[in-house]
Structures are given as structure tokens and as C-alpha cells.
Amino acid sequence: MEAENQYKKGLWTEEEDKVLQEYIKVHGRGQWNRIPKATGLKRCGKSCRLRWLNYLSPNVKRDGFSEEEDDLIIRLHNLIGNRWSLIAGRIPGRTDNQVKNHWNTHLCKKLGIIKRQEPARKLGDDNTSKIPHHEDQQQQGAGAILSTNNSNSDLNFLMNNATNSSAEAMEAVLENKTKEPALISDAVDHHHHHQASNEGTVDFVDESLLFSNDDYMLINSPCIVDFLDAFPVDLMCPRL
DNA sequence: AAATACCTCAACCGCAGGCCG
DNA sequence: CCGGCCTGCGGTTGAGGTATT
């Protein structure tokens, strides 16, 4: 209780920023909880981390979002839902907070998405509501199916409701995800094949394959761009 | 010019998961 | 295995700025 009160809240001052920057210049990132003790800064470690990651880090871009970035965010959101850190990780210079704010303030409006008042339907809880409503898909994007929790039960749901060929594709992807990370192109091929033979259905791809390793799955790589092109917004949100 | 409404985004909060002793 | 600590994530809040009345 008392320990919490010793920390300041609210906007950071230039002075505080300088102190934090100096500390990180010398000691590097991490060990956030040591910062208040080491520097005398009246901020908790969590606050220091957030300030650095969202504002002070030289990697953070401060200018407005470009059309390309918007497009990327929309596509990724349709694929994986509110996984802001994953989305931000694919957009150089953007933080999860920036992406989240940008989505909530600009892109929602742009897409005409209305936030639902009722709690999100829990997958697996209710058999009668397992298949997403068309209306829901319109409002939140099919990616919202995956947004709350990509648990095994969700995965089972997806598998159960996928068409045979897409389920096979998923299985193939899952089998290979621990071995060859770049099998995404196979998934895309599979998708194209499936799309050609089965118009109007929605395929699924395991996000852990997509985002499992930062070293090889850069969003700007031809591979991931191909993949995103294979999942256009209108496919994921059929009547958007 | 003042009051009010609206918008944006930095920061906070609570929770979950990983790590370590 | 358990508990404590740390980090990271997503949802939410609210201060400050801007637009409107």
C-alpha cells in the first residue's frame, strides 16, 4: 500500500524521460523494477518499461500511420483479432499501444465497426453458437474468432467447423509448425487451391506458424505479403 | 469569449505466463 | 511442486487538445 503510494502517476516530464534514457543507455533494457531504486525516479518499473517501449525507444515512429500500415493492420486484425503485440511486431516502428489506439480511434470508424456491448461469445461454451454469425463477422472480422483466446478448444472448434480440405490444411500446418517455419507458402498454396474449389468458405491458418519466430517471419518478406494477399479483407469479412 | 462536446493517445490496471530459487 | 518476482499483454481510463455551439 505504502509502496504503491511512493510512485508518481500520470504524464512523464522531460526530466524523468532524461533519467530513464540515461539509465537505459548505461544498463540496457530489462530489470525495470531496479530503475526507481537505482535512479531515484518516482515511477514503478512497469511505468518505466511502458514509457520506454511506447515513447522513448529510438525504434518508435512518431508520425502518422500510412495507408500501407492501415491496410496491414486491417488485414492482420482480420486474421488474428486483437493480438496487438503480434500485429505491432509486424509493423516496423509501431508499438502495440499505438496500433491498438489507432485501431480503436481511426480504423474502427473507417471500417464502420461498432463495438459490441455484450461480452464476446465464448467459443466452446455453447454448441448452438459455435458457428460465427454473419453479422458478427461483418462487425468484428472473422479474426475475432481467434481473438479472445487461441486455446486448444478454440482450435478444436475451428477444426470441427472447417471444411474437410481446410481442416487437412490446418493439420498439415500444425504437424509442420515445429519443423519448417516457412511452410506458410504451402499454406497459401493450399488456400488458393481450396479457394478455387470451394468458393465462399473461410480457411484458417495457425497463427503460431505465422508469428512464432521473429528472425525469419518479417512482415515485409515476400512470403508473408503473399500470405496476406491470400487472405483479403473481403474474404475474412465477406460483406464488409 | 466561454462553455461544452468530442477526440486522441499516453498511461494505468489487472491478469497471465515464464522463470527461478 | 510451490510461491514470489518479473515481464508482457489487452482492456480501459482520463488528461489535454480541438472543434462546435
Side-chain angles (χ1 to χ4, degrees):
Chain A
M1 203 65 119
E2 207 176 311
E4 282 173 21
N5 290 338
Q6 76 187 4
Y7 297 124
K8 191 181 156 192
K9 289 182 186 177
L11 297 180
W12 281 62
T13 64
E14 276 185 39
E15 207 47 47
E16 288 174 317
D17 283 347
K18 275 183 196 168
V19 171
L20 181 57
Q21 279 174 316
E22 276 305 309
Y23 180 88
I24 289 170
K25 203 191 284 180
V26 175
H27 299 94
R29 288 181 37 171
Q31 311 284 338
W32 300 106
N33 285 332
R34 289 187 189 172
I35 295 175
K37 289 167 198 161
T39 63
L41 210 53
K42 298 259 183 296
R43 296 283 182 173
C44 67
K46 219 171 169 178
S47 182
C48 293
R49 174 184 164 270
L50 210 63
R51 183 62 178 172
W52 174 259
L53 292 179
N54 287 336
Y55 198 87
L56 297 176
S57 168
N59 298 328
V60 176
K61 273 205 287 193
R62 317 278 332 147
D63 49 349
F65 282 73
S66 65
E67 283 291 318
E68 288 74 21
E69 286 172 321
D70 281 359
D71 184 60
L72 206 49
I73 291 167
I74 292 165
R75 287 173 182 231
L76 286 166
H77 187 269
N78 278 313
L79 267 176
I80 60 173
N82 299 0
R83 309 291 288 269
W84 305 118
S85 62
L86 286 174
I87 295 172
R90 304 298 129 185
I91 305 174
R94 300 300 184 185
T95 69
D96 54 350
N97 215 26
Q98 280 179 314
V99 171
K100 182 171 59 184
N101 282 334
H102 187 60
W103 175 268
N104 287 331
T105 56
H106 296 102
L107 299 181
C108 270
K109 285 178 196 165
K110 193 171 168 181
L111 296 173
I113 293 171
I114 303 156
K115 280 189 175 178
R116 293 203 304 180
Q117 299 300 310
E118 61 184 290
R121 186 179 292 140
K122 254 188 152 183
L123 296 169
D125 279 0
D126 176 4
N127 286 340
T128 61
S129 60
K130 276 183 177 175
I131 296 179
H133 220 252
H134 235 33
E135 199 178 24
D136 292 346
Q137 288 190 0
Q138 268 179 275
Q139 289 194 348
Q140 298 201 319
I145 298 164
L146 295 166
S147 67
T148 49
N149 199 342
N150 195 11
S151 64
N152 284 339
S153 60
D154 289 355
L155 199 54
N156 288 337
F157 156 70
L158 293 174
M159 295 293 284
N160 291 338
N161 287 285
T163 60
N164 287 340
S165 58
S166 59
E168 283 164 18
M170 275 288 282
E171 279 185 50
V173 163
L174 288 172
E175 273 178 26
N176 283 303
K177 72 176 178 182
T178 54
K179 304 172 199 166
E180 282 293 325
L183 285 174
I184 194 159
S185 54
D186 293 342
V188 172
D189 287 345
H190 222 109
H191 171 74
H192 278 145
H193 176 258
H194 177 62
Q195 198 179 15
S197 62
N198 209 350
E199 277 293 327
T201 60
V202 177
D203 281 354
F204 314 103
V205 169
D206 178 26
E207 70 180 75
S208 64
L209 173 70
L210 267 174
F211 305 106
S212 59
N213 189 327
D214 283 352
D215 292 334
Y216 51 75
M217 287 305 292
L218 294 171
I219 193 70
N220 293 323
S221 70
C223 186
I224 189 68
V225 170
D226 283 352
F227 178 76
L228 290 170
D229 284 344
F231 285 86
V233 173
D234 57 354
L235 174 71
M236 305 307 285
C237 310
R239 288 185 296 170
L240 192 67

